[in-house]
Amino acid sequence: MRTFLAIAPPPEVLRNIGTLQNRLQKDIQGVIRWVRPEGIHLTLKFFGEVSPEAVEKIDAAVSGPTAAVAPFNLAVRGVGVFPDVNRPRVVWVGIAGEIGALAALQRELERKLAAAGFPPEERPFRAHLTLGRVKVPRGIVGLSRAVETGAGVEAGIVPVREVALFKSELTPRGAVYTRLASYPLQGVPPAGAG
């Protein structure tokens, strides 16, 4: 089964993201496959196809790092494009807030999973929520302006209290995600935090 580790935004943030997508769909003309808001998540590690035995290894590797990390908050804000507006492939909304805590968690998960036999990601981790995938990069109209006007957009706060392991099933109507396991963040915040 195809699996990935991710942080799931709360329903109110997903609703705000849906509103943002609706606006972007009006502002951008081109062939973009928009992600359904309920399927939007912050991916920490994509595994691809794994066996049930591999899921047990993932479980063992993820439990330690998440238990040691204190809960933290992320903010969802700003529209952007990977790799850039001249060669658009992915339209995203950015992540701000306690980025240091997020990066530290992601690094430790990557380290533990590599030790468990899962190859590390070669590309650097760039926290974002994918809004849509550009199917035909040529002929996109309004993208630069949408990114410019979307720079200050805010979709809300994501209280990160757990990391989840999801199964992804590809269907004709898009991917369907099923939560396989949850790993609560159980560390103690530093004195004076919050």
Side-chain angles (χ1 to χ4, degrees), residues 163-175:
V163 171
L165 180 65
F166 289 93
K167 173 175 75 168
S168 171
E169 295 174 270
L170 302 177
T171 72
R173 300 189 66 214

Side-chain angles (χ1 to χ4, degrees), residues 49-158:
E49 296 286 340
V50 298
S51 66
E53 295 77 30
V55 170
E56 290 177 23
K57 289 167 96 178
I58 292 169
D59 192 66
V62 172
S63 298
T66 54
V69 172
F72 57 93
N73 293 317
L74 298 173
V76 178
R77 68 169 68 118
V79 175
V81 181
F82 288 143
D84 59 52
V85 291
N86 297 318
R87 299 169 298 142
R89 303 300 303 157
V90 173
V91 180
W92 50 260
V93 64
I95 299 293
E98 295 181 70
I99 293 295
L102 174 65
L105 172 61
Q106 193 275 335
R107 274 193 310 272
E108 185 59 14
L109 288 169
E110 193 74 72
R111 192 179 74 74
K112 289 284 193 185
L113 288 161
F118 298 95
E121 176 60 54
E122 293 176 13
R123 294 174 296 187
F125 176 66
R126 295 172 72 180
H128 68 283
L129 301 174
T130 298
L131 299 177
R133 291 178 178 80
V134 178
K135 303 315 286 174
V136 182
R138 289 177 181 257
I140 293 271
V141 176
L143 183 59
S144 295
R145 182 162 165 66
V147 168
E148 201 174 291
T149 58
V153 74
E154 304 220 2
I157 301 295
V158 177

Side-chain angles (χ1 to χ4, degrees), residues 12-56:
E12 63 272 14
V13 171
L14 295 177
R15 278 193 297 277
N16 293 339
I17 288 172
T19 301
L20 171 61
Q21 284 178 310
N22 288 339
R23 197 178 84 213
L24 290 172
Q25 287 174 36
K26 292 177 187 142
D27 294 346
I28 304 169
Q29 282 79 54
V31 185
I32 299 175
R33 189 177 76 231
W34 297 96
V35 179
R36 292 189 322 270
E38 63 272 16
I40 291 176
H41 53 268
L42 172 54
T43 303
L44 299 175
K45 175 76 173 171
F46 180 74
F47 297 101
E49 296 286 340
V50 298
S51 66
E53 295 77 30
V55 170
E56 290 177 23

